Amino acid sequence: MASINTGVSKNYRFVKSAKLIAVLTLGSRLLGVFREYAFSHFFAATPLMSSFTIAFLVPNLARKLFGEGALTSSFIPIFSRIREQDGDEDAKKLAGSVFTLLTAVLTVLLILAELGLLITSRFTWGPTLSLTAILMPYMVMICVTAFFGGVLNSLNRFAAPAIAPMLLNVVLIASIWGSAAVMDVDMNTQLRLIAYSVLAAGLLQVGLQVWWLNSCGFRIKPNFNWSSTAVRQIMVMMGPMIVGLSGVQVNTFFDHIIAAKWVEDGQGPAILRYSQYISHLPLAVFGTALATAIFPLLSQRRAQKDHEGFAEVVEMGLRTAVFISVPAAVGLIMVANPVVRIICEHGLFTKADTVRVVTAIHWYCLPICAFAAMHIMVRAFYSLEDSKTPMRISLFNLVLNLALNVALVFRFKEAGVAMATAITGNLQAIMLAVCLRKRIPDIPWRPVASTAIRSLLAVAVMIGAILALRSVFSLGEWSDFILSTIAGALSFAVAAKLLKLEEMRILLRRN
């Protein structure tokens, strides 16, 4: 099948949705920058900050396992098929059944987790376990929020799910600065108050999704029809997806645990927190937006048995992911130092902390393109209701990542953890691409390779422009960041235009 190079196919409409999601996600991430600014000012990279980081990983891991990760990815293809074949009423009943089952399972897990923490407290207790106990109920809230967001995405309503993280960031920023300004408390107590504010944000997030669903006329009512064929299919698909889609999140969880155990000064998890947040900015804004927008469209093409349209959507998704992520990753490597100094280096945060965060960022940027493409490829497999292939690949790379973590952390500290992520992330993307080529031979890979090569050439021009700027002017951190960003973006855009990269034109279209 030849790639479409003239006009804009209806199969490219996901780009418009992706741009909306990216804009809203960018707003959330900018709020996240202010959040990290506040955390670094008051808590820096202290062991207490490491404790909060690990405690917050628990509900985030559950979100990937049961919320926007495995459950949503197994739910959307079947939900789309039910809507296509049987109509909205049957789709609402399916959503109600899955919502009820999800809530019941998570409530049981929450009770068991809190009991386990209570028993553990009789033998040992510290800030990590204390904060984990407070944050555990957020697991239920964020998973329900993510599930409702998946339903909205299937209805081509992308705003509310993208706005939900903004609510959390606003509440966190207010609680960090508010607790510091109003209350004369120690750092440990302040972090506990912040943890309680996360629960308040969770209620707001759930409420927003429910209100938006109701405004769309898609009221989800709980029901206990858990034995239906559709629910069973979702559960069967979900098992392998838990491994396949949540591999990155599971790796992140173990990265922090290993850093906590073997980085002797106790700062490892906090350093990883700041470096991962900053390095994941391009992926979170653009990569996740593309995957979120493309998944319902892939599921619809699959339900309609439009094989040519399916392959075209995958091709364009990969090309767009490469076109955006390559300059984003390289650009972030070049401005990492001024960015970290601006966001983090104040209050209790030291220059030595900056060096460690920047080093980790450089490594974390290397697999950004791989992760962006991986999001698209995994969704392609799941739209085909094939969850086993990504699961096997993810399991292999999970084991490899753990082995590399242990091998590298002793010599390179938290930077060794980032190195392991760079190696396994790129390997996982290659393995997925090989399997996807066998599974969907209609996907034209030459246009994807052409986009990658021309994007790298444009990036070379971008690097030259930034280095030339720095050789002429003596720049401070703010001027370095602003001028380098402008020079890099303009030079890349001009080079992309000269190299006739079609993705630039598609991204700039208003419709």
Side-chain angles (χ1 to χ4, degrees):
M1 184 191 75
S3 175
I4 295 176
N5 291 316
T6 59
V8 178
S9 165
K10 65 180 181 179
N11 289 318
Y12 293 2
R13 72 178 191 221
F14 73 87
V15 175
K16 182 180 179 181
S17 300
K19 288 192 287 186
L20 171 63
I21 299 168
V23 169
L24 293 172
T25 304
L26 179 60
S28 174
R29 288 287 160 164
L30 290 175
L31 286 171
V33 169
F34 288 108
R35 181 197 69 210
E36 296 306 300
Y37 181 97
F39 271 126
S40 63
H41 186 83
F42 291 104
F43 306 106
T46 59
L48 269 177
M49 190 65 233
S50 292
S51 295
F52 184 86
T53 299
I54 293 173
F56 200 76
L57 282 173
V58 176
N60 265 337
L61 179 60
R63 172 173 61 89
K64 284 294 183 184
L65 295 177
F66 302 108
E68 68 186 28
L71 177 59
T72 302
S73 297
S74 59
F75 171 79
I76 287 179
I78 294 173
F79 178 80
S80 299
R81 174 159 51 82
I82 295 294
R83 280 193 77 209
E84 184 77 25
Q85 296 175 354
D86 304 319
D88 278 358
E89 287 306 313
D90 284 349
K92 289 178 185 178
K93 291 177 183 177
L94 173 62
S97 299
V98 175
F99 161 67
T100 309
L101 179 58
L102 171 68
T103 306
V105 170
L106 289 173
T107 301
V108 171
L109 289 176
L110 173 61
I111 293 170
L112 293 174
E114 294 288 12
L115 285 173
L117 289 167
L118 181 63
I119 294 170
T120 304
S121 69
R122 298 175 63 87
F123 305 98
T124 180
W125 197 246
T128 302
L129 292 180
S130 173
L131 291 167
T132 302
I134 295 171
L135 287 168
M136 280 304 298
Y138 185 64
M139 172 185 70
V140 180
M141 302 173 195
I142 192 59
C143 288
V144 170
T145 297
F147 173 71
F148 286 158
V151 176
L152 284 165
N153 287 338
S154 297
L155 301 174
N156 293 316
R157 301 290 194 276
F158 298 102
I163 290 171
M166 294 186 186
L167 295 176
L168 174 63
N169 285 330
V170 168
V171 171
L172 277 172
I173 292 167
S175 65
I176 294 169
W177 289 101
S179 60
V182 177
M183 303 177 184
D184 184 17
V185 294
D186 59 76
M187 191 183 294
N188 191 21
T189 304
Q190 188 181 1
L191 279 172
R192 288 171 62 84
L193 292 170
I194 293 167
Y196 282 116
S197 76
V198 171
L199 304 184
L203 292 174
L204 290 174
Q205 290 175 308
V206 173
L208 173 66
Q209 310 306 306
V210 172
W211 177 82
W212 214 294
L213 279 166
N214 290 344
S215 69
C216 295
F218 207 90
R219 187 185 298 271
I220 295 177
K221 298 178 181 179
N223 70 72
F224 294 86
N225 185 20
W226 299 346
S227 60
S228 70
T229 301
V231 172
R232 289 201 303 269
Q233 287 175 334
I234 291 170
M235 293 301 106
V236 169
M237 287 180 63
M238 185 178 170
M241 283 184 179
I242 286 179
V243 180
L245 249 188
S246 60
V248 173
Q249 196 72 21
V250 172
N251 278 335
T252 299
F253 181 80
F254 283 114
D255 287 352
H256 285 79
I257 298 300
I258 289 170
K261 182 174 179 60
W262 282 309
V263 178
E264 295 178 356
D265 58 11
Q267 292 184 268
I271 296 292
L272 290 178
R273 171 198 174 88
Y274 296 118
S275 58
Q276 284 179 348
Y277 183 80
I278 294 171
S279 62
H280 288 178
L281 278 171
L283 184 64
V285 173
F286 301 111
T288 304
L290 278 172
T292 302
I294 207 173
F295 194 25
L297 186 57
L298 285 171
S299 299
Q300 291 164 18
R301 292 290 174 268
R302 168 66 171 173
Q304 295 163 357
K305 298 182 179 179
D306 180 2
H307 304 298
E308 183 175 339
F310 186 94
E312 185 183 7
V313 172
V314 174
E315 176 219 336
M316 190 59 200
L318 289 172
R319 287 167 55 192
T320 308
V322 169
F323 176 76
I324 294 173
S325 60
V326 169
V330 175
L332 186 53
I333 288 173
M334 299 199 73
V335 298
N337 188 64
V339 165
V340 175
R341 290 177 64 190
I342 290 168
I343 296 175
C344 301
E345 197 178 297
H346 46 79
L348 299 177
F349 205 95
T350 67
K351 290 183 177 180
D353 295 334
T354 295
V355 172
R356 293 172 68 176
V357 171
V358 169
T359 302
I361 286 174
H362 286 164
W363 285 105
Y364 277 130
C365 283
L366 296 182
I368 283 177
C369 183
F371 284 134
M374 197 187 307
H375 280 314
I376 305 297
M377 292 187 286
V378 168
R379 263 66 176 190
F381 278 111
Y382 291 164
S383 298
L384 297 169
E385 299 183 19
D386 175 6
S387 56
K388 291 182 179 179
T389 300
M391 178 196 70
R392 296 189 188 103
I393 294 172
S394 182
L395 269 177
F396 173 80
N397 282 278
L398 175 62
V399 174
L400 178 61
N401 186 73
L402 286 172
L404 290 172
N405 275 342
V406 175
L408 297 171
V409 72
F410 292 105
R411 179 168 182 179
F412 301 104
K413 297 184 179 180
E414 65 279 336
V417 172
M419 289 181 204
T421 299
I423 294 168
T424 55
N426 284 294
L427 178 61
Q428 188 169 351
I430 292 170
M431 293 173 71
L432 279 168
V434 171
C435 292
L436 186 62
R437 185 175 182 179
K438 294 178 181 178
R439 185 73 170 79
I440 315 173
D442 287 340
I443 297 175
W445 288 91
R446 280 189 179 180
V448 179
S450 175
T451 295
I453 292 169
R454 286 182 290 166
S455 294
L456 287 170
L457 291 174
V459 162
V461 175
M462 181 186 79
I463 293 171
I466 295 174
L467 293 178
L469 175 72
R470 289 175 174 174
S471 68
V472 174
F473 299 102
S474 178
L475 303 174
E477 57 202 39
W478 273 103
S479 57
D480 188 358
F481 168 65
I482 294 172
L483 294 177
S484 293
T485 301
I486 293 173
L490 289 176
S491 58
F492 179 82
V494 171
K497 179 75 172 175
L498 294 174
L499 290 166
K500 298 180 180 179
L501 278 157
E502 182 192 10
E503 295 76 15
M504 174 73 77
R505 177 176 59 83
I506 292 174
L507 287 171
L508 293 177
R509 285 180 65 96
R510 294 185 179 182
N511 51 49

